[in-house]
Amino acid sequence: MSKTWQKLKALAYEYNLKEYKEIALHHDNPTITPLSECNYVAAIEVPKDFKSNISTLEIPKTLCAVFKLKGVYGDVLAFLRYVYHYWLPSSGYEATTLPSYVIYHKNHFLNEDNQFDLTFYLPVKVIY
């Protein structure tokens, strides 16, 4: 299990957050940026009135291409290659500068079976 995700689970427990979404903000495209240099932020959703000394970020409302994916650790790289190099160029959209993000329904970093179920959001704008 990833220590980052374990800490987020502990944080949720500490603040008595019983229902929350596990989110990963992707700052890099791993099909372009070497995997060792890719950055993402692991996060959990908190209520709007959440008060603490912990940093929060509100994901802005924007048009997104939405994809659902189930698989095992490692499948995400092939999926991202498809989205950015096959789907996007022929879609009539282009990616914006906002980071893409994932909402985990089942997080492979927290499950021993390495399986995930996620929804991937790619912020896009229409090409004119």
Side-chain angles (χ1 to χ4, degrees):
M1 269 196 246
S2 163
K3 288 184 180 186
T4 301
W5 287 105
Q6 286 176 329
K7 288 180 181 181
L8 286 171
K9 278 188 83 158
L11 182 73
Y13 179 80
E14 181 179 336
Y15 284 94
N16 200 28
L17 300 173
K18 300 205 186 315
E19 298 289 324
Y20 59 89
K21 294 177 183 169
E22 296 166 352
I23 303 169
L25 294 159
H26 294 240
H27 293 287
D28 298 293
N29 176 348
T31 62
I32 297 171
T33 305
L35 207 50
S36 62
E37 296 175 25
C38 284
N39 292 299
Y40 83 96
V41 175
I44 58 172
E45 182 181 50
V46 296
K48 284 213 181 267
D49 61 348
F50 183 75
K51 300 286 187 233
S52 87
N53 60 351
I54 299 166
S55 297
T56 60
L57 166 77
E58 186 170 336
I59 297 172
K61 289 184 181 182
T62 188
L63 177 65
C64 288
V66 180
F67 302 87
K68 295 185 181 278
L69 182 67
K70 292 181 181 181
V72 295
Y73 185 78
D75 289 347
V76 173
L77 290 177
F79 166 73
L80 290 176
R81 188 174 299 112
Y82 163 77
V83 169
Y84 283 105
H85 295 282
Y86 296 97
W87 179 84
L88 190 59
S90 63
S91 69
Y93 299 97
E94 64 183 14
T96 69
T97 57
L98 293 171
S100 59
Y101 62 97
V102 166
I103 296 180
Y104 287 101
H105 309 291
K106 181 178 180 184
N107 189 332
H108 57 292
F109 293 112
L110 294 171
N111 294 298
E112 297 296 325
D113 64 3
N114 289 325
Q115 303 244 347
F116 64 80
D117 179 359
L118 59 80
T119 305
F120 177 77
Y121 294 84
L122 175 62
V124 294
K125 63 182 178 178
V126 176
I127 298 173
Y128 295 101

